[in-house]
């Protein structure tokens, strides 16, 4: 970005700051400040995480204790608990459906990307705000509206959507199929339409901001890995979410306007439906064309956050900065050509299956590069075990253990046996769900001082980490074994089958572990809200970090920097540099100011840097002379 455009951008915002006085509504509700919008996304995401987690506890009670009298839940669930104290089977399907939808879209997509893309992109690239503050605000409120519609569907007499979070037709396309395919499914489709619009608006804004509003000197090769992650995530979302919109739109047509995109040769109670010529497999292709990139929309931001936290708390430069960028680019491209590995049992041509299997196994390579680089950064580092660092290391652990089972499932011959068993549930909850959730928590602990100007309590953070880390493994590790034994997912009860009855104790163990893990999240909630008001006041740069966000005031106003935006002279990971006075050198320190620690190629850049600084001083002097 040119000096002139930076100056223009500054001037516009300075004018805005002098002219505009926020009231309560424009500051806290309809705010266009990226930092406030990030907080709105975070709190909304936390609300939905509680709802989604609570739904999972309800169905884990059913799975772990199938003969238990659940009458005590009747005040909450009403008619979904029958006279004998048993959970209604159709409501069980709705619980599973809503848990998946909420966690994947509302928590790990909007909650994670919405929070940290909004908070960090302007702060780390040196911008006053997002490219479009209004579009940013609109993006959040469309997400909020989507959430309100989804929340209303929980209270319908026929229940919320009940076709699994993937809502495959024909089950989801026929209102007479199950109660969960009625009004609840209609509201699910409307809510997801608003959610997709919100995601696309956010993505356009993130991409535009990163390309156009970087401060002077902030080339792409100096961007922190967090910004690379958010940028590529936005690109993936922008290319894949419209396909989900198309899938949902055709499903609405089939449900409400008599079309047959997904329906053909269907009989209900012996009567043939008039629909012919459609294919439910078409929906699967459209859904998974978003569904697999969605895995990386959820995961890449968490990996970016982990890169930043591990480098900062290892007091070492991130190992293989360029390799990290190339691996994220590789994942971005490959994520679009592996979708059909979710469909090995759909009757696809085995030759086509072998191509998707090959591409799926290739995507493990850039993922392995990232893991290797994290471990190498940690190796012999000056490790500082903050809660954020522990959650980042936890992410790497889940990424390894969950990623290894992905190699099993990527092999079509093995996947045909394991498809729709608890092995799949265990795999994606570790590699996508828990890993991304840990990345989100690491980000909250690390950037809490920047959001609220106070520190979270570290001891409570340690307790939260260990209970959650051990709890997650206790929940999902046993699922691999019952999955290998053929235990099917989404079954309401399994006590009537001999081959599944033997896992009663293991299911009970998983359910107890899930309840304890869910309870541990209230430690985080208390820590979060208590620290917001009563936490120890933060210093300007509490983690002694190199990136631009720590050069702003402790509580930055709208516009982030009170004076000029600082220029950038070096990459984001100058930690423990030989010869340097301190173990970190901020990006804003010119190379000419640190001759004792400059590397040979940096010494060559000093001359150019001095020439640019001289030119700037001349321009500044000329401007002052004019005034």
């Amino acid at each position: 970005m040119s000096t002139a455009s930076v100056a223009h951008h500054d001037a516009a915002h300075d004018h805005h700051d002098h002219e505009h006085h926020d009231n309560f509504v424009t500051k806290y509700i309809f705010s266009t400040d990226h930092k406030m919008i990030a907080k709105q996304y975070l709190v909304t995401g936390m609300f939905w995480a509680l709802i989604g987690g609570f739904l999972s506890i309800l169905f884990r009670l059913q799975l772990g204790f199938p003969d238990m009298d659940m009458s005590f839940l009747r005040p909450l669930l009403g008619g979904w608990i029958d006279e004998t104290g048993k959970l209604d089977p159709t409501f069980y399907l709705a619980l599973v459906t809503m848990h998946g939808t909420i966690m994947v879209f509302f928590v790990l997509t909007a909650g994670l990307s919405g929070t940290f893309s909004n908070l960090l992109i302007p702060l780390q690239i040196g911008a006053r705000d997002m490219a479009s503050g209004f579009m940013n605000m609109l993006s959040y409120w469309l997400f909020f509206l989507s959430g309100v519609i989804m929340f209303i569907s929980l209270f319908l007499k026929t229940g919320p959507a009940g076709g699994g979070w993937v809502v495959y037709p024909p089950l989801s396309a026929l209102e007479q199929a199950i109660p969960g395919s009625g009004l609840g499914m209609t509201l699910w489709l409307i809510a997801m339409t608003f959610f997709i619009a919100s995601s696309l608006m956010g993505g356009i804004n993130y991409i535009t901001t990163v390309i156009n509003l970087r401060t002077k000197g902030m080339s792409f090769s100096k961007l922190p890995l967090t910004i690379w992650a958010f940028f590529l995530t936005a690109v993936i979302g922008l290319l894949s979410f419209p396909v989900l919109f198309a899938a949902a739109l055709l499903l609405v047509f089939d449900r409400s306007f008599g079309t047959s995109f997904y329906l053909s040769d269907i009989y209900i109670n012996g009567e043939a439906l008039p629909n012919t010529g459609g294919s439910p497999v078409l929906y699967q292709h459209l859904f998974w064309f978003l569904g697999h990139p969605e895995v990386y929309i959820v995961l890449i931001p968490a990996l970016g956050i982990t890169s930043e936290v591990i480098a900062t708390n290892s007091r070492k430069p991130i190992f293989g900065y360029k390799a990290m960028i190339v691996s994220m680019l590789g994942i971005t491209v490959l994520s679009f050509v592996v979708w059909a590995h979710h469909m090995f049992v759909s009757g696809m041509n085995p030759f086509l299956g072998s191509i998707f299997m090959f591409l799926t196994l290739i995507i493990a390579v850039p993922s392995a590069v990232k893991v290797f680089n994290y471990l190498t950064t940690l190796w012999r580092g000056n490790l500082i075990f903050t809660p954020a660092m522990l959650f980042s290391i936890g992410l790497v652990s889940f990424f390894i253990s969950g990623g290894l089972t992905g190699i099993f499932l990527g092999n079509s011959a093995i996947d045909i046996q394991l498809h729709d068993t608890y092995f799949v549930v265990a795999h994606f909850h570790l590699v996508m769900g828990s890993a991304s959730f840990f990345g989100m928590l690491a980000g909250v602990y690390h950037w809490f001082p920047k959001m609220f100007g106070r520190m979270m309590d570290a001891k409570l953070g340690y307790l939260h980490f260990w209970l959650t880390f051990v709890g997650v493994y206790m929940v999902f590790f046993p699922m691999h074994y019952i999955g290998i034994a053929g235990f099917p997912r989404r079954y309401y009860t399994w006590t009537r089958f001999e081959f599944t009855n033997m896992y009663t104790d293991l299911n009970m163990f998983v359910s107890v572990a899930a309840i304890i893990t869910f309870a541990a999240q209230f430690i985080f909630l208390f820590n979060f809200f208590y620290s917001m008001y009563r936490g120890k006041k933060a210093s300007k740069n509490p983690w002694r970090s190199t990136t631009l966000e720590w050069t702003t005031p402790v509580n930055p106003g709208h516009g982030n920097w009170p004076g000029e935006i600082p220029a950038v002279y070096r990459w984001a990971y100058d930690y423990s540099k030989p010869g340097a006075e301190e173990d970190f050198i901020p990006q804003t320190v010119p190379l000419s100011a640190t001759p004792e620690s400059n590397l040979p190629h940096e010494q060559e850049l000093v001359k150019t840097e001095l020439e640019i600084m001289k030119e700037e001083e001349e321009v500044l002097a000329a401007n002052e002379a004019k005034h």
Side-chain angles (χ1 to χ4, degrees), residues 45-67:
M46 284 162 58
F47 167 79
W48 277 113
L50 281 179
I51 300 288
F54 178 68
L55 298 181
S56 72
I57 296 305
L58 293 177
F59 63 73
R60 273 315 321 175
L61 285 173
Q62 168 63 33
L63 287 168
F65 310 95
D67 300 322

Side-chain angles (χ1 to χ4, degrees), residues 427-448:
H427 158 71
F428 76 75
H429 275 85
L430 278 179
V431 79
M432 182 186 85
S434 302
S436 302
F437 194 66
F438 267 46
M440 187 174 173
L441 290 169
V444 173
Y445 278 106
H446 191 74
W447 280 287
F448 190 88

